[in-house]
Amino acid sequence: MASLVAEVLATSGGLEKEDLPTRIGKISNKVDSIKWDLSSYINDKFSDFSVSFSSTTELYNKVDSTSREISSLTHQIQNDVSNQLSSSTSDFQDLSSQLKRANAIIKTLDIICQANESLEKFCEALKVKEYMTACELLTVLQENLKHLQKGKLNEMKIIKALKTELTVHQQTLIHSLGEAWAAAVVWKIPNVKDSDRLDSILTTNLKISLSNKVEDIIKAQHATNVLNNRIQSFGKRVVEHILKHIILISGMEPKVDSTYQFVTISLQKTSAGSKHTAPQKLYKHILTILQTLHKHILSISIEDKQTGEKISLMKIFGDFIWKDLSLCVINHCLVHSIPTSSTQLENYMEIIQATEEFEAKLVELGFLTEGSSSLLTYAKDVNVHFANKKCQDLMVEARKLMTKELHSTVQVGDHSPAEKLAKLDASDTRDPHTAIADKEVLSEGSLRFPVCQISQSVETLMNLAYTTLQEAVTSTTQCAVQLFYTVRNMFELFCEVVPTYHKNSLLQLPQLSALHHNNCMYIAHHLLTIGHQYKNQLPAPLCEGAANMIDLVPVYRKLATDCFLAQMRAQRSQMMESFSGALGFAQLEEEDSRKQAEKAVKQVLHQLNHLCSVWKDVLPSSVYIKAMSTLINTALQEMVNKITALEDISVDDAHQLFSIMTIVTAKTPPLLQLSESEDVAMAIHVSQWTKFTEIMIVLEANLQEILERWTDGKGPLAHALTANEVRSLIRALFQNTEKRAAALGKIK
């Protein structure tokens, strides 16, 4: 039964053949049919992979004709029908809803058709290597899918199939672009195991295609967001396999060859004039490579996706490699061009100028942003680097001297009259006869170093310190301060390195411990005045009182005495160990005991003779006499303590003890090499000498002679031994008789 709307329209003549519901129903059925056909086609193509060009064309025609019919019906409703439906609002809304649904479905079908068409055209573009066209088609497909992913459409099987196909084609495009880039930029690189061999390095080369497809490849990579990674990887290889070899290997140069297909950058080795490539020459080689890359590949510009500005590949390339490249140039070229003396510093302006020109050309190429380089900053800070390098070289040289063997010696000190001290200050106007350096205040030998031997390396170290300070006087303020404190650091380093590096030798070898003692005292002697000598010639704040090293003097003196005292303790321990074999000098009438005692004493004497031979010409005479006297005194005291502790000494024992002690008194005085009378000198320097000789007399004396030497506590025996020690000796030597008792009674 026809509707009221149809009757009204029929009466008015607005509907000629069919009523609207009938036409909309037919269109809806047609849309459903097309939807089913299109779904089957998409599934067959992307799921079952069956392709039919005729069916594709037929579907396109159906969608197109249906779209036109819907448009016509929509126009009719809007222009002819809507004005006549004021009384039939509900019918009109139903018709409009049906029409909108049909319209939405046909639009979706139209988008799906366009997506399918984009996929087919993409495959064709990829076959003919039209990479930018392929990128644009994928972009259109991606936009179409965004419209289809709204609402419940996103869950449709056909939409999922199209999304999967888009992802596959995107990866296919990226893979194809990678292959195309590899064909356009061809590397020949040696194996990792051979990468350090010169002959392998010389086989390295880079070929760049001259095809007009290169720009299309680059822009397509930019569109697919892989260009930055490609350029970063490319830059890393250029630095690693070409630029670094030119920087690190002296005489290595780039070589550029061209054919109609490729331009090739390779390496060649020429004879090296010096160990390191000059900066001017290196800049020329780097520019040759960068200009070649710019001409054939890096001059292409791309559009920044965020700002829309044009950016050249050279700018991107420079951003990726400049930091590593500039550091490599600085660390392996410029650092070696830093002058090593003040005279060479003036000629360094040529390198600064060459660096400025180099950076200007990099800016011109677009490789570098103006004013952003650290290379020129480094070159202009030559005074700082000169001082740093000088100080570093000095520290290295000083440490080498400290680790040299100590036994190579040289004699220092003399007996010439001491020179007058320089005035402490320029304003010091005191008369020389009343100044601090006058002989009324200081003796002539106050600042004279005693004659002794020191290690040759220490003398060289001291000369190095003076030479450095002399150079500091003629240097700039900053350099002078650095050089002064480098000298100070050298002496501080000595305190740490030498005792540690030579630790075992200093403890085990007496001669080296003596040399170390002299070395430290020698340095301390110079540290007293070294700051004063240069104070007025150095810039502020050094000239205002900071230029002194007197605080290091106690450190060095302690270092000297600690080492030598440790050696003295080691020698004392060795003597005690030798004396332990004497078994307390008891029962010497027995052959074995006597031999053991003699052996122990001879070992000690041999030890003292050895020390005499290694110390005699090394130590200052006063130090040698004091050290040897101390060790002799230790030996005599040990023998005295053992003998006075004996409870019973037979006549034979007394004779044997006297014989052994005679050997000691005969052998020890020559060890001190004193000019005065031996007994007097030994008594002065060896506190136990008098006691030792008095015991020898007691061993051979009778009771009367002992009492005469005691003389009521006023004789020589009383000055050497205590009353208890004398009584102990009498009890051990003599039997218990009335005479002994009477004698013991007189020893008080």
Side-chain angles (χ1 to χ4, degrees), residues 210-236:
L210 300 179
S211 169
N212 54 9
K213 289 284 185 181
V214 174
E215 183 173 356
D216 190 53
I217 294 169
I218 289 172
K219 290 184 176 180
Q221 288 183 106
H222 176 61
T224 54
N225 298 319
V226 297
L227 180 62
N228 278 5
N229 289 337
R230 289 269 195 271
I231 297 299
Q232 185 176 14
S233 176
F234 175 69
K236 185 177 179 181

Side-chain angles (χ1 to χ4, degrees), residues 76 92 139 143 191 314 416 424 435 456 462 517 650 657 713:
Q76 181 180 351
F92 176 73
T139 302
E143 291 297 322
N191 295 327
M314 180 60 85
S416 59
L424 293 176
Q456 195 171 19
M462 209 64 235
H517 170 273
S650 65
L657 280 172

